Amino acid sequence: MIGVFDSGLGGLTIAGHIRRLAPEADLLYVGDRARAPYGPRSSAEVLAFSSQITQRLLDRGAGIIVVACNTASAAALHPLRAQFPEVRFVGMEPAVKPAANHTATGVVGVVATAGTLDGPLYQSVVDRYGAGVEIVAAACPDWVEMVEGGVVDGPEVLRSVRRCLEPLLVRGADRIVLGCTHFPLLEATIRQVVARQAQVVDPGPAVARQSLRIASELAVGQGSGRIEVELTGTDRGFDVVADLVGLANPQVAVISALT
Ligand code: DGL
């Protein structure tokens, strides 16, 4: 069974890609909505939550853990690997590398949470792949809030996407890297706003492929296509998102808190 987690509904974008690529895989997803958003939290808090969720996924039989959250990956991936040395983790980082390789204007835009942009993981991505290009970044906290509210299109989304992306487009960005797993859920509006000026870069499919490669190496990728979802706090907006990412008939449980 593949364990996947996020602060909320965003990581379902990764679960959806895994599902599409491997319909037979069993998935257990935890969305920690009662404590979302993680973006403004300290890395110590995000690490504590991530380690608690990892333990829960392992207790429930997960054979690999996909940290389907850039903010949790930034705060917790290295410490989690140290804390659970026998477990294979797949994490996320903003896909600056492909964007920097393909930009024609030499300007790459990155959108992510404040937690991701402030952390050393993002800095190391910029140091490793950003040489010779200008990287302009923006934190767009409203986007996470809207997705968590089940709002993925309409005038409010359009206004907020414009507000966040326009400064990056004005600087000349021709690649917009989605550095938060909630953001692909707003992709239709993001594409509308960037129009022909920029391409949108989403690492989700690559992360799903990598997760399945490791799951198959560990022989934990085959199952009966069962999808279980545990959400802390509420299932508000879940159906909208599950539908958008193509997760059909998951078994959903709302739990009051993680223990
Ligand atoms: N989905 C998340 C990410 O990829 C976190 C959003 C949040 O909780 O702030 O960063």
Side-chain angles (χ1 to χ4, degrees):
M1 182 202 289
I2 300 176
V4 182
F5 78 88
D6 179 41
S7 61
L9 301 178
L12 291 168
T13 54
I14 305 297
H17 290 303
I18 293 176
R19 174 68 174 172
R20 215 172 359 267
L21 294 167
E24 75 291 352
D26 287 340
L27 291 179
L28 173 59
Y29 182 91
V30 171
D32 191 13
R33 306 186 74 193
R35 299 186 291 200
Y38 280 6
R41 289 185 179 273
S42 73
S43 50
E45 265 181 315
V46 174
L47 171 58
F49 300 161
S50 301
S51 123
Q52 198 180 32
I53 298 169
T54 295
Q55 191 58 61
R56 182 176 185 91
L57 289 168
L58 294 173
D59 290 347
R60 302 255 353 246
I64 172 177
I65 307 289
V66 181
V67 185
C69 175
N70 290 76
T71 311
S73 297
L77 195 57
H78 292 305
L80 283 176
R81 286 187 171 133
Q83 201 180 335
F84 300 92
E86 72 294 354
V87 177
R88 296 287 293 275
F89 288 91
V90 177
M92 318 261 329
E93 64 180 27
V96 169
K97 184 183 181 185
N101 286 343
H102 293 109
T103 173
T105 59
V107 183
V108 168
V110 178
V111 284
T113 67
T116 297
L117 295 175
D118 292 344
L121 179 66
Y122 175 66
Q123 197 46 56
S124 89
V125 166
V126 170
D127 294 344
R128 271 180 286 148
Y129 308 120
V133 297
E134 185 187 352
I135 299 183
V136 286
C140 311
D142 308 354
W143 298 10
V144 174
E145 301 284 355
M146 289 185 300
V147 168
E148 287 298 308
V151 179
V152 292
D153 54 20
E156 187 193 347
V157 173
L158 183 58
R159 256 195 317 276
S160 174
V161 168
R162 279 208 178 112
R163 199 170 45 239
C164 200
L165 288 185
E166 263 162 15
L168 311 187
L169 297 171
V170 166
R171 297 274 288 275
D174 69 347
R175 293 289 181 281
I176 299 292
V177 175
L178 302 184
C180 170
T181 52
H182 281 69
F183 296 174
L185 294 158
L186 307 179
E187 198 166 338
T189 307
I190 294 170
R191 283 184 191 282
Q192 180 189 338
V193 169
V194 305
R196 282 195 294 276
Q197 179 177 331
Q199 283 184 25
V200 176
V201 182
D202 173 15
V207 170
R209 281 194 297 276
Q210 167 75 350
S211 305
L212 287 167
R213 241 188 324 268
I214 297 175
S216 122
E217 224 176 83
L218 300 173
V220 296
Q222 298 286 328
S224 55
R226 183 180 164 82
I227 303 176
E228 272 188 78
V229 175
E230 290 188 337
L231 303 171
T232 58
T234 175
D235 60 1
R236 183 175 58 124
F238 173 79
D239 290 346
V240 175
V241 172
D243 201 45
L244 207 57
V245 302
L247 284 183
N249 307 319
Q251 186 188 312
V252 184
V254 177
I255 52 180
S256 54
L258 287 161
T259 47

